[in-house]
Amino acid sequence: MTEKLDRYDRHILAALQEDGRISNQQLADQVGLSSAACWRRVKALDEKGILKKYTALVSPEALGYDLCVLIMVTLIRHQQDHAMEFQQAVQGYPEVLQCFAVTGDADYVLRVIIQNMAAYDRFLNEKIFSLPGVSQVRSNFALREIKNETAIPIDL
């Protein structure tokens, strides 16, 4: 579903990705619209689901999450029941920031943040290994973050 966006909408999206707390008046001034017109456009972008949510990005390390792990999970077989149970379960795990169904050697890739190795061991044993259908788990630990961008590229 590609939405047709004009230059004002694109500028609004770019500005909001840069600063989600910008006031409507500042946003209107920045994109060259009246305050009312800007507000209507933001509301329309929100209602269409183009703006997914407003949030603050928090440093994981500030809260004691020192490990970032990319986990490749393979299920026993591509049985719908196992896949659905797995997907529902990981959606309830706050440590799992992202989960992707993928092609290749694994069925899923999870991005997990966790405090330390002992916590990771508990996470695997109590949450991942206990799920029906999990056949194999491979873990890759991030040594350092090179890039972590949340803004979607927008052609202005």
Side-chain angles (χ1 to χ4, degrees):
M1 168 191 105
T2 302
E3 189 72 31
K4 182 70 176 155
L5 302 172
D6 67 14
R7 71 179 186 94
Y8 291 110
D9 290 337
R10 291 179 180 283
H11 279 282
I12 288 169
L13 292 173
L16 287 174
Q17 286 188 117
E18 184 67 30
D19 180 4
R21 292 175 43 158
I22 191 171
S23 73
N24 184 64
Q25 186 60 58
Q26 290 173 313
L27 182 59
D29 292 344
Q30 191 171 328
V31 300
L33 291 169
S34 71
S35 182
C38 184
W39 181 84
R40 282 191 301 273
R41 284 176 176 266
V42 171
K43 186 172 189 244
L45 292 168
D46 199 23
E47 289 172 351
K48 291 177 185 175
I50 295 169
L51 292 172
K52 291 176 75 173
K53 77 180 197 180
Y54 294 87
T55 189
L57 301 177
V58 177
S59 166
E61 297 82 7
L63 297 175
Y65 292 96
D66 293 327
L67 294 180
C68 176
V69 190
L70 300 175
I71 306 171
M72 280 63 68
V73 178
T74 305
L75 301 182
I76 293 171
R77 288 184 203 91
H78 290 288
Q79 291 183 359
Q80 194 64 27
D81 291 347
H82 290 177
M84 293 304 292
E85 286 180 59
F86 180 84
Q87 291 170 30
Q88 287 176 346
V90 298
Q91 287 181 24
Y93 299 159
E95 307 91 339
V96 177
L97 300 184
Q98 293 177 295
C99 176
F100 299 96
V102 296
T103 61
D105 295 335
D107 296 311
Y108 298 94
V109 174
L110 284 64
R111 183 168 71 97
V112 172
I113 59 166
I114 201 117
Q115 295 89 348
N116 53 47
M117 194 60 74
Y120 183 63
D121 185 48
R122 282 191 306 278
F123 172 77
L124 283 180
N125 286 309
E126 295 171 9
K127 294 185 177 178
I128 299 298
F129 292 150
S130 67
L131 294 172
V134 172
S135 166
Q136 184 180 36
V137 175
R138 291 185 324 236
S139 304
N140 290 317
F141 291 85
L143 298 175
R144 66 186 174 280
E145 185 175 274
I146 307 301
K147 182 177 181 178
N148 184 359
E149 185 60 58
T150 61
I152 305 299
I154 298 176
D155 294 328
L156 298 176

